[in-house]
mmCIF file of all heavy atoms in Angstrom:
data_model
loop_
_atom_site.group_PDB
_atom_site.id
_atom_site.type_symbol
_atom_site.label_atom_id
_atom_site.label_comp_id
_atom_site.label_asym_id
_atom_site.label_seq_id
_atom_site.Cartn_x
_atom_site.Cartn_y
_atom_site.Cartn_z
ATOM 1 N N THR A 1 66.621 1.925 -203.314
ATOM 2 C CA THR A 1 67.963 2.174 -203.853
ATOM 3 C C THR A 1 68.953 1.140 -203.343
ATOM 4 O O THR A 1 69.789 0.611 -204.101
ATOM 5 C CB THR A 1 68.434 3.585 -203.464
ATOM 6 O OG1 THR A 1 67.503 4.556 -203.968
ATOM 7 C CG2 THR A 1 69.822 3.871 -204.023
ATOM 8 N N LEU A 2 68.849 0.843 -202.042
ATOM 9 C CA LEU A 2 69.748 -0.148 -201.450
ATOM 10 C C LEU A 2 69.538 -1.521 -202.075
ATOM 11 O O LEU A 2 70.496 -2.223 -202.413
ATOM 12 C CB LEU A 2 69.520 -0.201 -199.938
ATOM 13 C CG LEU A 2 70.366 -1.229 -199.167
ATOM 14 C CD1 LEU A 2 71.855 -0.920 -199.323
ATOM 15 C CD2 LEU A 2 69.955 -1.246 -197.700
ATOM 16 N N LEU A 3 68.236 -1.880 -202.249
ATOM 17 C CA LEU A 3 67.950 -3.195 -202.831
ATOM 18 C C LEU A 3 68.414 -3.269 -204.279
ATOM 19 O O LEU A 3 68.953 -4.293 -204.713
ATOM 20 C CB LEU A 3 66.452 -3.496 -202.737
ATOM 21 C CG LEU A 3 65.904 -3.733 -201.315
ATOM 22 C CD1 LEU A 3 64.392 -3.928 -201.350
ATOM 23 C CD2 LEU A 3 66.581 -4.948 -200.676
ATOM 24 N N ILE A 4 68.180 -2.185 -205.045
ATOM 25 C CA ILE A 4 68.632 -2.191 -206.441
ATOM 26 C C ILE A 4 70.152 -2.264 -206.514
ATOM 27 O O ILE A 4 70.724 -3.037 -207.303
ATOM 28 C CB ILE A 4 68.108 -0.946 -207.180
ATOM 29 C CG1 ILE A 4 66.583 -1.021 -207.327
ATOM 30 C CG2 ILE A 4 68.768 -0.816 -208.544
ATOM 31 C CD1 ILE A 4 65.974 0.219 -207.938
ATOM 32 N N SER A 5 70.805 -1.439 -205.683
ATOM 33 C CA SER A 5 72.270 -1.458 -205.681
ATOM 34 C C SER A 5 72.789 -2.832 -205.284
ATOM 35 O O SER A 5 73.714 -3.382 -205.917
ATOM 36 C CB SER A 5 72.810 -0.395 -204.722
ATOM 37 O OG SER A 5 72.369 0.894 -205.103
ATOM 38 N N GLY A 6 72.190 -3.389 -204.219
ATOM 39 C CA GLY A 6 72.613 -4.721 -203.781
ATOM 40 C C GLY A 6 72.336 -5.774 -204.839
ATOM 41 O O GLY A 6 73.144 -6.684 -205.055
ATOM 42 N N GLY A 7 71.160 -5.639 -205.511
ATOM 43 C CA GLY A 7 70.851 -6.594 -206.581
ATOM 44 C C GLY A 7 71.844 -6.522 -207.713
ATOM 45 O O GLY A 7 72.257 -7.553 -208.269
ATOM 46 N N LEU A 8 72.243 -5.282 -208.097
ATOM 47 C CA LEU A 8 73.239 -5.123 -209.148
ATOM 48 C C LEU A 8 74.584 -5.721 -208.735
ATOM 49 O O LEU A 8 75.285 -6.358 -209.541
ATOM 50 C CB LEU A 8 73.398 -3.646 -209.499
ATOM 51 C CG LEU A 8 72.208 -2.992 -210.218
ATOM 52 C CD1 LEU A 8 72.447 -1.495 -210.371
ATOM 53 C CD2 LEU A 8 71.985 -3.644 -211.578
ATOM 54 N N VAL A 9 74.937 -5.494 -207.461
ATOM 55 C CA VAL A 9 76.187 -6.069 -206.960
ATOM 56 C C VAL A 9 76.136 -7.594 -207.031
ATOM 57 O O VAL A 9 77.071 -8.254 -207.507
ATOM 58 C CB VAL A 9 76.470 -5.605 -205.519
ATOM 59 C CG1 VAL A 9 77.625 -6.397 -204.913
ATOM 60 C CG2 VAL A 9 76.793 -4.120 -205.505
ATOM 61 N N GLU A 10 75.022 -8.179 -206.539
ATOM 62 C CA GLU A 10 74.896 -9.635 -206.542
ATOM 63 C C GLU A 10 74.881 -10.188 -207.964
ATOM 64 O O GLU A 10 75.464 -11.240 -208.239
ATOM 65 C CB GLU A 10 73.624 -10.055 -205.802
ATOM 66 C CG GLU A 10 73.658 -9.787 -204.308
ATOM 67 C CD GLU A 10 74.755 -10.587 -203.617
ATOM 68 O OE1 GLU A 10 75.079 -11.705 -204.087
ATOM 69 O OE2 GLU A 10 75.300 -10.103 -202.606
ATOM 70 N N LEU A 11 74.191 -9.474 -208.878
ATOM 71 C CA LEU A 11 74.176 -9.925 -210.268
ATOM 72 C C LEU A 11 75.586 -9.884 -210.863
ATOM 73 O O LEU A 11 76.012 -10.820 -211.556
ATOM 74 C CB LEU A 11 73.234 -9.035 -211.084
ATOM 75 C CG LEU A 11 73.164 -9.340 -212.588
ATOM 76 C CD1 LEU A 11 72.656 -10.762 -212.822
ATOM 77 C CD2 LEU A 11 72.278 -8.320 -213.298
ATOM 78 N N GLY A 12 76.295 -8.795 -210.597
ATOM 79 C CA GLY A 12 77.660 -8.700 -211.108
ATOM 80 C C GLY A 12 78.560 -9.779 -210.532
ATOM 81 O O GLY A 12 79.361 -10.378 -211.260
ATOM 82 N N LEU A 13 78.437 -10.046 -209.233
ATOM 83 C CA LEU A 13 79.268 -11.080 -208.610
ATOM 84 C C LEU A 13 78.926 -12.462 -209.139
ATOM 85 O O LEU A 13 79.804 -13.315 -209.307
ATOM 86 C CB LEU A 13 79.090 -11.031 -207.093
ATOM 87 C CG LEU A 13 79.688 -9.794 -206.411
ATOM 88 C CD1 LEU A 13 79.324 -9.791 -204.927
ATOM 89 C CD2 LEU A 13 81.191 -9.748 -206.598
ATOM 90 N N TRP A 14 77.652 -12.704 -209.410
ATOM 91 C CA TRP A 14 77.249 -14.017 -209.948
ATOM 92 C C TRP A 14 77.853 -14.228 -211.339
ATOM 93 O O TRP A 14 78.381 -15.300 -211.639
ATOM 94 C CB TRP A 14 75.724 -14.101 -210.014
ATOM 95 C CG TRP A 14 75.247 -15.380 -210.638
ATOM 96 C CD1 TRP A 14 75.125 -16.594 -210.046
ATOM 97 C CD2 TRP A 14 74.845 -15.556 -212.010
ATOM 98 N NE1 TRP A 14 74.681 -17.529 -210.949
ATOM 99 C CE2 TRP A 14 74.504 -16.924 -212.161
ATOM 100 C CE3 TRP A 14 74.751 -14.708 -213.105
ATOM 101 C CZ2 TRP A 14 74.062 -17.444 -213.377
ATOM 102 C CZ3 TRP A 14 74.318 -15.230 -214.316
ATOM 103 C CH2 TRP A 14 73.974 -16.589 -214.444
ATOM 104 N N ARG A 15 77.787 -13.155 -212.158
ATOM 105 C CA ARG A 15 78.349 -13.280 -213.496
ATOM 106 C C ARG A 15 79.873 -13.446 -213.429
ATOM 107 O O ARG A 15 80.468 -14.189 -214.225
ATOM 108 C CB ARG A 15 77.996 -12.051 -214.335
ATOM 109 C CG ARG A 15 76.501 -11.927 -214.601
ATOM 110 C CD ARG A 15 76.190 -10.888 -215.638
ATOM 111 N NE ARG A 15 76.811 -11.220 -216.916
ATOM 112 C CZ ARG A 15 76.582 -10.547 -218.036
ATOM 113 N NH1 ARG A 15 75.750 -9.510 -218.029
ATOM 114 N NH2 ARG A 15 77.190 -10.889 -219.152
ATOM 115 N N TYR A 16 80.488 -12.757 -212.495
ATOM 116 C CA TYR A 16 81.931 -12.907 -212.324
ATOM 117 C C TYR A 16 82.296 -14.337 -211.916
ATOM 118 O O TYR A 16 83.256 -14.926 -212.443
ATOM 119 C CB TYR A 16 82.430 -11.923 -211.271
ATOM 120 C CG TYR A 16 83.832 -12.223 -210.777
ATOM 121 C CD1 TYR A 16 84.932 -12.080 -211.612
ATOM 122 C CD2 TYR A 16 84.053 -12.657 -209.469
ATOM 123 C CE1 TYR A 16 86.210 -12.357 -211.177
ATOM 124 C CE2 TYR A 16 85.319 -12.944 -209.022
ATOM 125 C CZ TYR A 16 86.398 -12.789 -209.870
ATOM 126 O OH TYR A 16 87.656 -13.077 -209.434
ATOM 127 N N SER A 17 81.529 -14.899 -210.984
ATOM 128 C CA SER A 17 81.821 -16.270 -210.547
ATOM 129 C C SER A 17 81.649 -17.254 -211.698
ATOM 130 O O SER A 17 82.423 -18.219 -211.835
ATOM 131 C CB SER A 17 80.932 -16.672 -209.370
ATOM 132 O OG SER A 17 79.571 -16.717 -209.759
ATOM 133 N N GLN A 18 80.634 -17.020 -212.565
ATOM 134 C CA GLN A 18 80.457 -17.888 -213.726
ATOM 135 C C GLN A 18 81.636 -17.760 -214.694
ATOM 136 O O GLN A 18 82.145 -18.770 -215.219
ATOM 137 C CB GLN A 18 79.147 -17.535 -214.444
ATOM 138 C CG GLN A 18 77.890 -17.858 -213.649
ATOM 139 C CD GLN A 18 77.776 -19.352 -213.384
ATOM 140 O OE1 GLN A 18 77.814 -20.158 -214.305
ATOM 141 N NE2 GLN A 18 77.630 -19.724 -212.130
ATOM 142 N N TYR A 19 82.047 -16.541 -214.930
ATOM 143 C CA TYR A 19 83.179 -16.321 -215.827
ATOM 144 C C TYR A 19 84.457 -16.955 -215.254
ATOM 145 O O TYR A 19 85.229 -17.611 -215.974
ATOM 146 C CB TYR A 19 83.386 -14.821 -216.050
ATOM 147 C CG TYR A 19 84.679 -14.495 -216.750
ATOM 148 C CD1 TYR A 19 84.777 -14.592 -218.126
ATOM 149 C CD2 TYR A 19 85.802 -14.110 -216.007
ATOM 150 C CE1 TYR A 19 85.967 -14.303 -218.773
ATOM 151 C CE2 TYR A 19 86.996 -13.836 -216.653
ATOM 152 C CZ TYR A 19 87.070 -13.923 -218.035
ATOM 153 O OH TYR A 19 88.260 -13.651 -218.661
ATOM 154 N N ARG A 20 84.651 -16.722 -213.954
ATOM 155 C CA ARG A 20 85.840 -17.277 -213.310
ATOM 156 C C ARG A 20 85.848 -18.797 -213.384
ATOM 157 O O ARG A 20 86.885 -19.413 -213.651
ATOM 158 C CB ARG A 20 85.880 -16.816 -211.853
ATOM 159 C CG ARG A 20 87.034 -17.392 -211.056
ATOM 160 C CD ARG A 20 87.008 -16.860 -209.658
ATOM 161 N NE ARG A 20 87.754 -17.706 -208.760
ATOM 162 C CZ ARG A 20 87.773 -17.564 -207.451
ATOM 163 N NH1 ARG A 20 87.062 -16.592 -206.902
ATOM 164 N NH2 ARG A 20 88.483 -18.362 -206.691
ATOM 165 N N TYR A 21 84.696 -19.404 -213.199
ATOM 166 C CA TYR A 21 84.604 -20.860 -213.296
ATOM 167 C C TYR A 21 84.971 -21.339 -214.708
ATOM 168 O O TYR A 21 85.735 -22.293 -214.883
ATOM 169 C CB TYR A 21 83.191 -21.309 -212.937
ATOM 170 C CG TYR A 21 82.917 -22.752 -213.279
ATOM 171 C CD1 TYR A 21 83.419 -23.786 -212.483
ATOM 172 C CD2 TYR A 21 82.170 -23.090 -214.404
ATOM 173 C CE1 TYR A 21 83.181 -25.106 -212.810
ATOM 174 C CE2 TYR A 21 81.926 -24.406 -214.726
ATOM 175 C CZ TYR A 21 82.430 -25.411 -213.929
ATOM 176 O OH TYR A 21 82.195 -26.717 -214.264
ATOM 177 N N GLN A 22 84.443 -20.666 -215.726
ATOM 178 C CA GLN A 22 84.729 -21.057 -217.103
ATOM 179 C C GLN A 22 86.210 -20.900 -217.434
ATOM 180 O O GLN A 22 86.814 -21.769 -218.082
ATOM 181 C CB GLN A 22 83.876 -20.232 -218.067
ATOM 182 C CG GLN A 22 82.383 -20.528 -217.971
ATOM 183 C CD GLN A 22 81.555 -19.563 -218.799
ATOM 184 O OE1 GLN A 22 82.101 -18.686 -219.476
ATOM 185 N NE2 GLN A 22 80.243 -19.714 -218.754
ATOM 186 N N GLU A 23 86.809 -19.802 -216.971
ATOM 187 C CA GLU A 23 88.227 -19.594 -217.237
ATOM 188 C C GLU A 23 89.085 -20.624 -216.525
ATOM 189 O O GLU A 23 90.071 -21.131 -217.075
ATOM 190 C CB GLU A 23 88.630 -18.173 -216.797
ATOM 191 C CG GLU A 23 88.069 -17.060 -217.659
ATOM 192 C CD GLU A 23 88.592 -17.141 -219.075
ATOM 193 O OE1 GLU A 23 89.824 -17.108 -219.259
ATOM 194 O OE2 GLU A 23 87.766 -17.269 -219.997
ATOM 195 N N GLU A 24 88.726 -20.957 -215.299
ATOM 196 C CA GLU A 24 89.482 -21.964 -214.557
ATOM 197 C C GLU A 24 89.338 -23.333 -215.210
ATOM 198 O O GLU A 24 90.286 -24.121 -215.224
ATOM 199 C CB GLU A 24 89.016 -21.999 -213.105
ATOM 200 C CG GLU A 24 89.470 -20.781 -212.301
ATOM 201 C CD GLU A 24 88.988 -20.796 -210.863
ATOM 202 O OE1 GLU A 24 88.063 -21.594 -210.571
ATOM 203 O OE2 GLU A 24 89.521 -20.032 -210.060
ATOM 204 N N GLN A 25 88.142 -23.612 -215.759
ATOM 205 C CA GLN A 25 87.969 -24.870 -216.465
ATOM 206 C C GLN A 25 88.850 -24.920 -217.712
ATOM 207 O O GLN A 25 89.462 -25.954 -218.008
ATOM 208 C CB GLN A 25 86.496 -25.057 -216.848
ATOM 209 C CG GLN A 25 85.602 -25.428 -215.676
ATOM 210 C CD GLN A 25 85.906 -26.814 -215.146
ATOM 211 O OE1 GLN A 25 85.717 -27.805 -215.844
ATOM 212 N NE2 GLN A 25 86.363 -26.898 -213.906
ATOM 213 N N ARG A 26 88.935 -23.818 -218.452
ATOM 214 C CA ARG A 26 89.813 -23.775 -219.623
ATOM 215 C C ARG A 26 91.271 -23.963 -219.213
ATOM 216 O O ARG A 26 92.039 -24.694 -219.870
ATOM 217 C CB ARG A 26 89.645 -22.441 -220.367
ATOM 218 C CG ARG A 26 88.292 -22.252 -221.031
ATOM 219 C CD ARG A 26 88.315 -21.041 -221.965
ATOM 220 N NE ARG A 26 86.995 -20.715 -222.454
ATOM 221 C CZ ARG A 26 86.214 -19.775 -221.965
ATOM 222 N NH1 ARG A 26 86.650 -19.022 -220.964
ATOM 223 N NH2 ARG A 26 85.021 -19.544 -222.463
ATOM 224 N N PHE A 27 91.648 -23.277 -218.139
ATOM 225 C CA PHE A 27 93.022 -23.401 -217.654
ATOM 226 C C PHE A 27 93.322 -24.836 -217.212
ATOM 227 O O PHE A 27 94.368 -25.403 -217.561
ATOM 228 C CB PHE A 27 93.232 -22.431 -216.495
ATOM 229 C CG PHE A 27 94.568 -22.569 -215.830
ATOM 230 C CD1 PHE A 27 95.720 -22.117 -216.442
ATOM 231 C CD2 PHE A 27 94.666 -23.144 -214.570
ATOM 232 C CE1 PHE A 27 96.951 -22.245 -215.828
ATOM 233 C CE2 PHE A 27 95.896 -23.279 -213.957
ATOM 234 C CZ PHE A 27 97.036 -22.828 -214.576
ATOM 235 N N LEU A 28 92.394 -25.430 -216.461
ATOM 236 C CA LEU A 28 92.594 -26.807 -216.006
ATOM 237 C C LEU A 28 92.678 -27.775 -217.179
ATOM 238 O O LEU A 28 93.476 -28.719 -217.170
ATOM 239 C CB LEU A 28 91.456 -27.232 -215.069
ATOM 240 C CG LEU A 28 91.586 -26.836 -213.598
ATOM 241 C CD1 LEU A 28 90.360 -27.295 -212.821
ATOM 242 C CD2 LEU A 28 92.844 -27.438 -212.979
ATOM 243 N N ARG A 29 91.839 -27.562 -218.199
ATOM 244 C CA ARG A 29 91.866 -28.456 -219.350
ATOM 245 C C ARG A 29 93.211 -28.344 -220.082
ATOM 246 O O ARG A 29 93.765 -29.362 -220.516
ATOM 247 C CB ARG A 29 90.710 -28.137 -220.296
ATOM 248 C CG ARG A 29 90.577 -29.098 -221.466
ATOM 249 C CD ARG A 29 89.211 -29.010 -222.107
ATOM 250 N NE ARG A 29 88.182 -29.499 -221.216
ATOM 251 C CZ ARG A 29 87.855 -30.783 -221.089
ATOM 252 N NH1 ARG A 29 88.497 -31.702 -221.802
ATOM 253 N NH2 ARG A 29 86.914 -31.154 -220.265
ATOM 254 N N ALA A 30 93.727 -27.125 -220.208
ATOM 255 C CA ALA A 30 95.040 -26.955 -220.835
ATOM 256 C C ALA A 30 96.118 -27.679 -220.025
ATOM 257 O O ALA A 30 97.005 -28.339 -220.595
ATOM 258 C CB ALA A 30 95.370 -25.474 -220.975
ATOM 259 N N GLN A 31 96.046 -27.557 -218.698
ATOM 260 C CA GLN A 31 97.010 -28.254 -217.845
ATOM 261 C C GLN A 31 96.857 -29.767 -217.960
ATOM 262 O O GLN A 31 97.850 -30.513 -217.959
ATOM 263 C CB GLN A 31 96.818 -27.817 -216.386
ATOM 264 C CG GLN A 31 97.177 -26.371 -216.103
ATOM 265 C CD GLN A 31 98.671 -26.130 -216.189
ATOM 266 O OE1 GLN A 31 99.470 -26.999 -215.881
ATOM 267 N NE2 GLN A 31 99.049 -24.949 -216.624
ATOM 268 N N ALA A 32 95.602 -30.239 -218.061
ATOM 269 C CA ALA A 32 95.354 -31.673 -218.179
ATOM 270 C C ALA A 32 95.945 -32.223 -219.469
ATOM 271 O O ALA A 32 96.548 -33.309 -219.484
ATOM 272 C CB ALA A 32 93.849 -31.954 -218.116
ATOM 273 N N TYR A 33 95.812 -31.486 -220.579
ATOM 274 C CA TYR A 33 96.400 -31.932 -221.841
ATOM 275 C C TYR A 33 97.922 -32.018 -221.723
ATOM 276 O O TYR A 33 98.548 -32.948 -222.249
ATOM 277 C CB TYR A 33 96.015 -30.974 -222.968
ATOM 278 C CG TYR A 33 94.674 -31.278 -223.587
ATOM 279 C CD1 TYR A 33 93.595 -30.395 -223.444
ATOM 280 C CD2 TYR A 33 94.465 -32.440 -224.326
ATOM 281 C CE1 TYR A 33 92.359 -30.676 -224.007
ATOM 282 C CE2 TYR A 33 93.234 -32.725 -224.890
ATOM 283 C CZ TYR A 33 92.186 -31.844 -224.735
ATOM 284 O OH TYR A 33 90.961 -32.126 -225.281
ATOM 285 N N GLU A 34 98.511 -31.052 -221.027
ATOM 286 C CA GLU A 34 99.960 -31.075 -220.878
ATOM 287 C C GLU A 34 100.405 -32.244 -220.005
ATOM 288 O O GLU A 34 101.378 -32.939 -220.329
ATOM 289 C CB GLU A 34 100.440 -29.752 -220.280
ATOM 290 C CG GLU A 34 101.948 -29.671 -220.173
ATOM 291 C CD GLU A 34 102.420 -28.318 -219.685
ATOM 292 O OE1 GLU A 34 101.593 -27.379 -219.653
ATOM 293 O OE2 GLU A 34 103.598 -28.208 -219.334
ATOM 294 N N MET A 35 99.691 -32.489 -218.894
ATOM 295 C CA MET A 35 100.060 -33.608 -218.018
ATOM 296 C C MET A 35 99.866 -34.933 -218.746
ATOM 297 O O MET A 35 100.656 -35.874 -218.573
ATOM 298 C CB MET A 35 99.210 -33.573 -216.749
ATOM 299 C CG MET A 35 99.432 -32.347 -215.864
ATOM 300 S SD MET A 35 101.151 -32.152 -215.307
ATOM 301 C CE MET A 35 101.334 -33.610 -214.290
ATOM 302 N N ARG A 36 98.824 -35.041 -219.575
ATOM 303 C CA ARG A 36 98.626 -36.277 -220.339
ATOM 304 C C ARG A 36 99.770 -36.483 -221.333
ATOM 305 O O ARG A 36 100.248 -37.611 -221.522
ATOM 306 C CB ARG A 36 97.291 -36.243 -221.077
ATOM 307 C CG ARG A 36 96.998 -37.553 -221.826
ATOM 308 C CD ARG A 36 95.629 -37.583 -222.448
ATOM 309 N NE ARG A 36 95.510 -36.682 -223.581
ATOM 310 C CZ ARG A 36 94.452 -36.649 -224.384
ATOM 311 N NH1 ARG A 36 93.426 -37.466 -224.163
ATOM 312 N NH2 ARG A 36 94.390 -35.794 -225.381
ATOM 313 N N ALA A 37 100.227 -35.396 -221.961
ATOM 314 C CA ALA A 37 101.342 -35.509 -222.905
ATOM 315 C C ALA A 37 102.603 -35.997 -222.198
ATOM 316 O O ALA A 37 103.349 -36.822 -222.742
ATOM 317 C CB ALA A 37 101.591 -34.155 -223.578
ATOM 318 N N VAL A 38 102.854 -35.499 -220.992
ATOM 319 C CA VAL A 38 104.022 -35.943 -220.224
ATOM 320 C C VAL A 38 103.900 -37.422 -219.881
ATOM 321 O O VAL A 38 104.859 -38.199 -220.036
ATOM 322 C CB VAL A 38 104.178 -35.101 -218.941
ATOM 323 C CG1 VAL A 38 105.280 -35.678 -218.049
ATOM 324 C CG2 VAL A 38 104.482 -33.653 -219.278
ATOM 325 N N LEU A 39 102.715 -37.850 -219.417
ATOM 326 C CA LEU A 39 102.494 -39.254 -219.061
ATOM 327 C C LEU A 39 102.724 -40.158 -220.267
ATOM 328 O O LEU A 39 103.435 -41.173 -220.181
ATOM 329 C CB LEU A 39 101.065 -39.428 -218.524
ATOM 330 C CG LEU A 39 100.599 -40.873 -218.277
ATOM 331 C CD1 LEU A 39 101.461 -41.552 -217.229
ATOM 332 C CD2 LEU A 39 99.131 -40.893 -217.866
#
């Protein structure tokens, strides 16, 4: 039970980190387009 619970937690955290990375990349790209427009 502990291993399954821990595995589910780790799987959820891994998926969250992937999602967070993708969202931050989208956010950074939007900021990059704006900074390029200013330049």
Side-chain angles (χ1 to χ4, degrees):
T1 302
L2 178 61
L3 291 176
I4 292 175
S5 301
L8 290 174
V9 170
E10 292 297 329
L11 177 61
L13 291 174
W14 176 81
R15 294 191 61 173
Y16 166 68
S17 65
Q18 293 297 305
Y19 169 82
R20 177 179 159 188
Y21 168 76
Q22 293 172 2
E23 290 297 302
E24 288 179 345
Q25 286 292 295
R26 292 191 189 99
F27 174 74
L28 276 178
R29 185 162 293 276
Q31 293 290 328
Y33 275 113
E34 183 175 348
M35 296 302 295
R36 183 174 70 172
V38 173
L39 172 62

